[in-house]
Amino acid sequence: MNNRLSKILSDLDLKGILQGHIISTEWMFRYWKRILVVAILLIIYISNRYTCQMKISEIGSLQRELVNIRYEALTISSELLGSSRQSQIKEMVKEKGLDLEESQQPPYKLSK
C-alpha cells in the first residue's frame, strides 16, 4: 500500500502532471467513475450559478424599469388631474372658441 501511494505522490510533481503520468496511473483507472461524477456535478454547479446570476441581473433591470413606469404613471395621472379641473376646462373652451357656458344653476338630485 505504501509503495503504491508513494508512486502516486511521486507522479504528482509538475513534470509528471504535464507528461500525463497521473492519468495513466492505476489510481485513475480505479476511480474514473467517481472522477467523472465529480466533474459532471462541478459543471452542473457552475451552470446553475451562471443561470442564477443572469436571473438576478434580469430581476434588477426589471425592478428599475418598474420604478420608471410608476413615475411615468404618476406624472400622467397628475397631468390628467390638472387638466380636468373646472378652471382648466373653462380656459380650454375659451381657447377653442366653443359656444358653451357654465351652468348658473347648481345640480340637484331627482327623487322617485
Side-chain angles (χ1 to χ4, degrees):
M1 180 71 177
N2 275 341
N3 236 356
R4 279 191 261 162
L5 183 61
S6 64
K7 182 172 177 356
I8 290 171
L9 291 177
S10 69
D11 287 343
L12 287 179
D13 63 345
L14 184 60
K15 184 178 178 185
I17 291 172
L18 292 176
Q19 289 178 349
H21 290 285
I22 191 162
I23 295 173
S24 64
T25 61
E26 168 187 330
W27 177 84
M28 271 302 249
F29 289 122
R30 186 179 305 158
Y31 296 111
W32 72 272
K33 291 178 186 176
R34 292 179 186 163
I35 293 170
L36 183 64
V37 168
V38 169
I40 289 171
L41 290 176
L42 187 63
I43 289 170
I44 291 171
Y45 173 76
I46 291 170
S47 171
N48 187 33
R49 183 170 173 95
Y50 176 76
T51 303
C52 288
Q53 285 179 342
M54 295 305 289
K55 295 286 183 186
I56 289 171
S57 173
E58 183 180 355
I59 288 171
S61 69
L62 289 174
Q63 284 177 342
R64 286 189 296 275
E65 186 178 343
L66 179 64
V67 168
N68 289 338
I69 290 173
R70 282 183 181 165
Y71 287 141
E72 185 178 340
L74 186 63
T75 303
I76 291 171
S77 174
S78 66
E79 288 174 0
L80 179 63
L81 184 65
S83 66
S84 66
R85 293 197 174 141
Q86 187 175 359
S87 60
Q88 289 286 51
I89 292 175
K90 278 185 193 178
E91 201 173 295
M92 287 170 54
V93 166
K94 284 182 185 178
E95 286 176 6
K96 302 278 183 182
L98 300 174
D99 192 25
L100 296 174
E101 294 179 6
E102 185 179 356
S103 175
Q104 301 299 323
Q105 193 177 23
Y108 56 93
K109 210 183 234 189
L110 297 174
S111 58
K112 292 184 184 180

